[in-house]
């Protein structure tokens, strides 16, 4: 299977979970400021790293649901950056799903371009290295947020979210290939 097909398969599962959680909770996440979304992404990535370092979990969930969470929260972050946060869950499910699809199309387009230029180097990476890169991206986003969103030469917050999405998809592909 080609990378773009594997991407679509993993994202279909992430989208399914996003849609089901939207049915359960609505769009309560709309009240989160982008920095709070970034902190939630950090919590998920840090748990993955803890699982990798400790090789045991007190909660019977491996890294897969956390990578899915990284993708879904990153999309929420992109939505919050574009729409701004709200004092209420002001977005209907259809709008949220349409925005989700739009941002995932953009993430996939970016993945295809970068994958071409980098020659699918991610396939030679260890999953732990992907986790570390995600954590580095989160720290970069947090620094940009602490700087009021201003950068001098670096890409902005949205670029970090897109990279997190793509790295998390790569990790999911690697887990699937390992039968996990």
């Amino acid at each position: 299977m080609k990378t773009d097909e594997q991407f679509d398969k993993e994202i279909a599962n992430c989208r399914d979970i996003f849609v089901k959680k939207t049915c359960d909770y609505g769009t309560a996440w709309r009240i989160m400021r982008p920095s709070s979304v970034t902190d939630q992404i950090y919590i998920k990535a840090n748990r993955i790293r803890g699982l990798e370092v400790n090789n045991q979990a007190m909660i019977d969930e491996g890294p897969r649901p956390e990578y899915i969470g990284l993708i879904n929260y990153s999309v929420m972050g992109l939505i919050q950056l574009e729409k701004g946060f709200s004092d209420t869950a002001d977005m209907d499910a259809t709008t949220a799903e349409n925005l989700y699809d739009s941002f995932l199309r953009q993430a996939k387009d970016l993945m295809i371009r970068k994958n071409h230029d980098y020659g699918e180097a991610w396939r030679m990476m260890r999953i732990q290295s992907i986790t570390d890169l995600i954590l580095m991206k989160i720290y970069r986003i947090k620094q940009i947020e602490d700087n009021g969103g201003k950068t001098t030469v670096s890409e902005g917050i949205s670029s970090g979210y897109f990279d997190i999405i793509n790295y998390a998809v790569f990790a999911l592909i690697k887990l699937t290939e390992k039968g996990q």
Side-chain angles (χ1 to χ4, degrees):
M1 196 180 295
K2 294 171 67 174
T3 299
D4 64 328
E5 294 167 343
Q6 291 174 301
F7 184 100
D8 291 343
K9 183 177 180 204
E10 298 298 344
I11 287 303
N13 183 45
C14 296
R15 185 185 193 284
D16 183 59
I17 290 168
F18 180 85
V19 168
K20 287 177 179 171
K21 286 194 176 195
T22 301
C23 288
D24 288 348
Y25 306 129
T27 56
W29 51 267
R30 286 284 295 132
I31 68 158
M32 295 177 76
R33 291 168 282 191
S35 59
S36 297
V37 176
T38 301
D39 286 342
Q40 185 63 34
I41 293 167
Y42 169 76
I43 289 167
K44 299 224 166 269
N46 197 53
R47 179 167 187 271
I48 294 167
R49 186 172 173 147
L51 292 171
E52 292 169 350
V53 170
N54 298 323
N55 285 330
Q56 72 178 51
M58 299 290 285
I59 300 169
D60 191 26
E61 288 183 346
R64 178 171 287 282
E66 304 299 349
Y67 283 116
I68 293 168
L70 289 173
I71 292 164
N72 288 345
Y73 274 105
S74 293
V75 173
M76 290 176 207
L78 289 164
I79 293 170
Q80 296 301 75
L81 287 174
E82 181 176 294
K83 300 294 183 188
F85 66 91
S86 177
D87 291 331
T88 63
D90 65 345
M91 188 176 288
D92 64 85
T94 301
T95 301
E97 290 169 29
N98 288 338
L99 287 165
Y100 185 95
D101 293 341
S102 174
F103 283 117
L104 264 295
R105 276 191 302 276
Q106 292 175 57
K108 183 179 179 183
D109 289 345
L110 176 65
M111 181 275 299
I112 289 169
R113 291 191 312 271
K114 284 188 173 185
N115 223 19
H116 174 270
D117 289 356
Y118 287 94
E120 295 208 332
W122 66 271
R123 290 198 179 271
M124 301 309 220
M125 294 174 64
R126 297 174 185 95
I127 293 178
Q128 295 86 350
S129 296
I130 292 173
T131 302
D132 290 349
L133 284 170
I134 290 169
L135 280 163
M136 180 188 67
K137 294 286 181 183
I138 294 165
Y139 279 110
R140 288 178 176 180
I141 291 169
K142 288 167 73 93
Q143 184 63 52
I144 294 168
E145 289 170 343
D146 291 347
N147 292 341
K150 294 183 175 82
T151 61
T152 51
V153 296
S154 304
E155 296 174 319
I157 295 168
S158 62
S159 294
Y161 284 148
F162 279 118
D163 285 343
I164 290 168
I165 290 168
N166 286 330
Y167 279 122
V169 171
F170 293 156
L172 289 172
I173 291 169
K174 286 182 151 299
L175 289 171
T176 297
E177 289 176 341
K178 288 176 137 184
Q180 298 177 341

